[in-house]
Amino acid sequence: MSEKWWQEAIVYQVYPRSFQDSNGDGVGDLRGVIQRLDYIQSLGVSVIWLNPIFVSPQIDNGYDVSNYYAIDPLFGTIEDAEELIEKAHQYGLKVIFDFVLNHTSDQHPWFQEALKGPDNPYRDYYLWADGKTAGQLPNNWASFFGGTVWEKEPAGNQYYFHLFAKEMPDLNWNNPEVQLSMLDIATFWMDKGVDGFRLDAFIHMDKEAGYPDVPNIVDGQIVLAEEYYANLPKVNHYMKNFAQALRKQYPDVFLVGEAASANIDLAVNYSDPLNEACDAVITFRYFSEDDTKKDVRLPLTMQSGKLDLKAFKATMSEWQDRLGDFGGPTLYWNNHDMARAVSRFGDVIHYRENSSKMLATLMYLQKGIPFILNGEEIGMKNLEIPTIDKFEAPEAKGFYEKALALGYSKEHILRELNATSKDASRGVMQWDDSVFAGFSTSPPWSDVNQEADYHVAAQEADEKSILNYYRKLLNYKQTPLFTKGSFKLIETNDQLYCYERTLGKQTALVCCNFTDQPVFFEDERFTEENFTVLLTNDFNSLEGKLGKLGPYGAAVLVFGIDEENEPHEENRISVF
C-alpha cells in the first residue's frame, strides 16, 4: 500500500464553541482557534478537526446544517475560515471539517422546498412515507433522540424520516442529485484548502426499502431498529462513489468516517483501500463495559459502568491486527459524543495525573491515528452540570424522566448523566486561573470547571505536568518505531495492558496498570539487556527482573536501540 500523509497523522479535535472565545459573547469562535494555533502546534499534533461551523439553527450544536456554504455567525465569517486554513497550513497543520452527510436542518432551502408538496423537484431529496392508516405512523422505528423516526409534514399527509431530531430530516442518498449536491459542497471547501473531512453518521445513508416494521413488537410501541437503518449494503456504494469523485480532483484528501456501531468486519470493509471509500473509521465499539449492575429498563450507555478490560484488550488487539496494514485503526478515548476520558476510565479524585498519563500512554503508542479531544492533554474532567435543565442533549431529558418514573432519585439520575452524557465533555477549555478559565470575558455557553492545577498556564510551567507528558509522548509517537512498528499484545492479568511495538532490532515495551493498586510484572530482559526508559509516570519501580507499576502506572521501555531510528532517549538506566 502506498503511504499517505494521514497514516502518520495526530489529530487534535477542536470543539469550536468550547475552545476559545475571541469576542466576549461566551461562545468559542474561529478567531479564537486562530489565536491558539501556536499552542496547538506546540502539542506535536499535525491535524485540526473542527466540529461543525456551518450555518445552523443549532438544534444539535451545528449537526443540523441549513447552509453548507457559509459559516455560522456564531463562529465568524467565511473569511475567518479561510484565514484559519491558511494560517494553520503556515504552522504545518492540516485542517479537516466535520461534514454532515446523512441529514440537514429542516431550515435548509432543500427541505423548505420539499415541504411545498410531492411535485416539488426537491421532494425526492428527502425520505417520505404514507401512514399505515389515517393517524398511524409508517412503522415502529425509534429515533436515536427519542420518539419515532417519523414526523408528519405540516401541510400534507405524508411523514418525513428523521433518525435524529425532528428538525433534522434525513437525505435520500438514492437520489443522484443528492449525491452530486453533497460532492459539490465537499469540492467547494477543498477548493478553499481544507485537507479532508470527518464524515458524520455516514453509516446511516441507506435505509431498508419499504420501511418494514421490527417484528414481534407490541402494537403502538417503537424501538431502535439499527438493522434497518445502519450499515446497510448501499452505504459503501454511496461512500465509494463520493470518495472516488472527490479523489479525482484531490487525491490526498483524508476521509475519516464516523461509524459508531461498526464492528471490525464493517470497519475493514469501509476502510480497505481496495474499496476506495473511507481512509479510516471511528467506531464506538472499543469500550465494553460490565453491564451486570445496570438497569435494563433504561439505556445502558447512559448508566455508568466499569470498563471490561479483558474484552477491551481483545477488541483492541483484533482492530490492531485487522487494520494494521491499512495504517492502523483510529485511537481515541473520548470525543464530543462521550464523557471525558479521565472521568470515565481514570481516577479523578486520587490519581488524576497518573491516570491521565497512563491512558495516553496505553492508547496513543499503539499502531494507528490518535484523535485527541481538546483539553484531554491537561486532564480535563467532565463538566459538573447541576440541574437537568442545563443538559442540552435531548436524550438526557428523556433518560431523566424515565428514571424518575422508575423511582430513582434526582440526585442519582444527575450523577449518572454527569458521568455519561456528551454534554459533560463539552465544558470550555481551561486556559488559566482567571475568570471563566481564560476562555471568555463573559459567562460561557456551557459553564466551566475552574481548577487550580488543571489549566494550560499552570501545566506549561510544570515539567512533570500532564500537558508536558503528552508533548513527550506525541514526540515519540512520530518516530518510526511507533508509526511503522508491528504490534503485539502481551498476555497478562486483567489489571495490566501491555504490548510491544517492534521495528527491525528495536522493540518498545509499553506497560500500563488500569487499577488503583500497585501491580507487579516480570520480564527477563530487565536483567539481560540494556534498555532505555522513554516514559514513566509516578510510583513505578524496578528491581531485578521484577517491575512494579503504581496505581495507574505506565512505563515505556525500549530494547535493542536502533541508532538510525533512535528515539530521543532521556536516560539509559536500569530503574525507573
Side-chain angles (χ1 to χ4, degrees):
M1 183 182 71
S2 60
E3 291 199 5
K4 301 286 189 179
W5 66 264
W6 50 264
Q7 290 174 311
E8 296 184 3
I10 300 173
V11 181
Y12 188 67
Q13 180 187 355
V14 170
Y15 196 67
R17 64 170 54 221
S18 295
F19 192 61
Q20 179 68 70
D21 174 19
S22 72
N23 61 4
D25 64 356
V27 179
D29 47 49
L30 294 182
R31 299 223 65 81
V33 181
I34 292 170
Q35 290 173 14
R36 297 294 186 176
L37 284 174
D38 56 345
Y39 169 77
I40 296 173
Q41 183 197 47
S42 78
L43 298 174
V45 303
S46 55
V47 182
I48 301 171
W49 156 27
L50 290 172
N51 287 100
I53 54 175
F54 305 131
V55 173
S56 166
Q58 301 296 325
I59 295 295
D60 187 28
N61 287 312
Y63 283 93
D64 50 317
V65 180
S66 56
N67 185 350
Y68 289 91
Y69 291 100
I71 302 301
D72 196 294
L74 198 65
F75 302 119
T77 65
I78 198 163
E79 289 78 19
D80 293 330
E82 292 168 341
E83 182 180 341
L84 172 57
I85 295 165
E86 181 183 355
K87 288 191 173 176
H89 288 166
Q90 291 171 5
Y91 276 90
L93 299 165
K94 295 185 182 294
V95 178
I96 62 175
F97 277 7
D98 225 316
F99 188 16
V100 186
L101 290 175
N102 176 70
H103 50 267
T104 70
S105 164
D106 62 355
Q107 299 305 304
H108 195 289
W110 299 341
F111 191 71
Q112 290 298 303
E113 286 294 314
L115 287 175
K116 292 178 180 178
D119 295 331
N120 190 280
Y122 285 95
R123 185 76 168 190
D124 196 43
Y125 268 52
Y126 296 90
L127 301 169
W128 302 86
D130 297 320
K132 291 177 183 174
T133 59
Q136 272 200 323
L137 297 171
N139 66 19
N140 60 3
W141 299 355
S143 158
F144 287 134
F145 281 8
T148 175
V149 296
W150 298 103
E151 182 73 12
K152 192 170 183 296
E153 60 180 325
N157 295 316
Q158 284 196 306
Y159 294 79
Y160 67 86
F161 186 100
H162 61 91
L163 194 50
F164 298 93
K166 63 182 176 61
E167 297 88 353
M168 300 159 65
D170 281 41
L171 286 163
N172 175 19
W173 271 80
N174 204 39
N175 181 349
E177 290 297 321
V178 169
Q179 298 178 39
L180 288 172
S181 296
M182 299 309 274
L183 178 63
D184 286 345
I185 294 163
T187 303
F188 173 84
W189 287 107
M190 292 297 296
D191 286 346
K192 290 192 175 297
V194 168
D195 300 286
F197 300 98
R198 180 260 191 191
L199 306 172
D200 181 71
F202 84 94
I203 61 172
H204 302 298
M205 294 191 299
D206 187 22
K207 281 79 174 175
E208 186 70 29
Y211 309 122
D213 275 327
V214 178
N216 305 315
I217 301 299
V218 176
D219 281 349
Q221 186 177 359
I222 56 173
V223 293
L224 290 174
E226 288 211 57
E227 65 270 31
Y228 295 119
Y229 49 59
N231 300 300
L232 269 63
K234 283 187 179 178
V235 167
N236 220 32
H237 169 72
Y238 296 145
M239 272 306 310
K240 185 173 181 177
N241 288 348
F242 173 83
Q244 285 184 342
L246 194 57
R247 289 189 183 112
K248 282 183 180 178
Q249 299 179 69
Y250 296 97
D252 290 333
V253 63
F254 177 39
L255 299 176
V256 56
E258 182 206 18
S261 59
N263 60 26
I264 183 61
D265 292 327
L266 287 165
V268 169
N269 190 37
Y270 291 142
S271 52
D272 188 334
L274 294 177
N275 288 337
E276 300 182 81
C278 294
D279 296 306
V281 295
I282 300 170
T283 181
F284 287 9
R285 289 204 170 195
Y286 289 167
F287 309 117
S288 300
E289 292 184 350
D290 179 0
D291 292 335
T292 56
K293 296 181 181 179
K294 298 182 180 181
D295 189 335
V296 295
R297 298 171 297 176
L298 293 167
L300 298 180
T301 56
M302 301 188 74
Q303 300 174 65
S304 57
K306 192 173 183 180
L307 182 70
D308 183 339
L309 191 59
K310 186 174 183 179
F312 173 67
K313 288 199 283 188
T315 298
M316 294 304 295
S317 183
E318 183 178 31
W319 283 68
Q320 288 283 313
D321 179 60
R322 298 281 302 278
L323 291 175
D325 290 342
F326 304 164
T330 53
L331 305 172
Y332 74 98
W333 281 116
N334 45 199
N335 57 42
H336 65 288
D337 275 333
M338 54 186 60
R340 287 268 172 190
V342 70
S343 292
R344 185 177 177 190
F345 304 110
D347 185 334
V348 169
I349 298 173
H350 302 105
Y351 298 107
R352 186 160 168 188
E353 297 210 4
N354 242 34
S355 53
S356 295
K357 294 173 182 177
M358 181 277 291
L359 292 169
T361 307
L362 186 159
M363 185 62 73
Y364 302 132
L365 292 181
Q366 296 179 109
K367 191 173 181 66
I369 307 167
F371 280 71
I372 298 163
L373 176 62
N374 69 254
E376 177 188 332
E377 74 277 9
I378 56 172
M380 274 180 62
K381 67 177 183 178
N382 281 346
L383 185 66
E384 296 176 7
I385 304 174
T387 59
I388 187 60
D389 59 288
K390 294 281 189 180
F391 284 87
E392 294 210 349
E395 59 269 32
K397 292 177 174 63
F399 177 88
Y400 183 85
E401 291 166 2
K402 192 169 184 179
L404 270 182
L406 291 171
Y408 288 97
S409 70
K410 293 179 181 179
E411 293 75 18
H412 173 83
I413 301 169
L414 285 172
R415 277 198 304 271
E416 290 295 275
L417 288 175
N418 272 293
T420 62
S421 173
K422 60 189 179 186
D423 288 325
S425 73
R426 299 176 180 183
V428 302
M429 184 71 176
Q430 296 159 209
W431 293 104
D432 57 39
D433 61 0
S434 66
V435 64
F436 310 129
F439 165 77
S440 177
T441 55
S442 300
W445 73 277
S446 69
D447 212 346
V448 59
N449 290 333
Q450 295 194 243
E451 304 177 281
D453 298 322
Y454 298 98
H455 56 75
V456 172
Q459 295 198 21
E460 288 278 15
D462 180 3
E463 186 180 341
K464 295 188 68 178
S465 68
I466 301 167
L467 174 59
N468 284 315
Y469 189 94
Y470 260 77
R471 285 175 170 146
K472 290 177 183 177
L473 184 145
L474 296 180
N475 182 43
Y476 295 136
K477 174 64 179 177
Q478 297 172 67
T479 61
L481 178 58
F482 294 107
T483 56
K484 296 181 170 63
S486 64
F487 174 92
K488 177 186 176 184
L489 188 71
I490 298 173
E491 286 193 28
T492 62
N493 59 40
D494 288 343
Q495 288 76 49
L496 290 174
Y497 189 110
C498 300
Y499 59 92
E500 291 181 341
R501 300 294 310 275
T502 299
L503 183 65
K505 297 179 180 179
Q506 190 179 31
T507 295
L509 170 66
V510 180
C511 239
C512 298
N513 174 9
F514 225 102
T515 74
D516 61 1
Q517 299 296 316
V519 177
F520 293 87
F521 65 101
E522 188 174 329
D523 195 311
E524 299 288 343
R525 290 174 295 183
F526 295 159
T527 57
E528 295 176 358
E529 299 182 31
N530 289 330
F531 58 85
T532 297
V533 178
L534 286 190
L535 286 169
T536 180
N537 57 5
D538 291 334
F539 317 124
N540 307 317
S541 63
L542 182 61
E543 294 184 14
K545 61 183 180 181
L546 191 65
K548 184 185 83 169
L549 289 176
Y552 296 99
V556 182
L557 286 63
V558 177
F559 299 89
I561 294 296
D562 181 337
E563 295 298 334
E564 183 177 348
N565 295 316
E566 182 175 356
H568 307 295
E569 64 176 290
E570 294 172 353
N571 48 355
R572 191 184 300 270
I573 57 175
S574 58
V575 295
F576 59 88

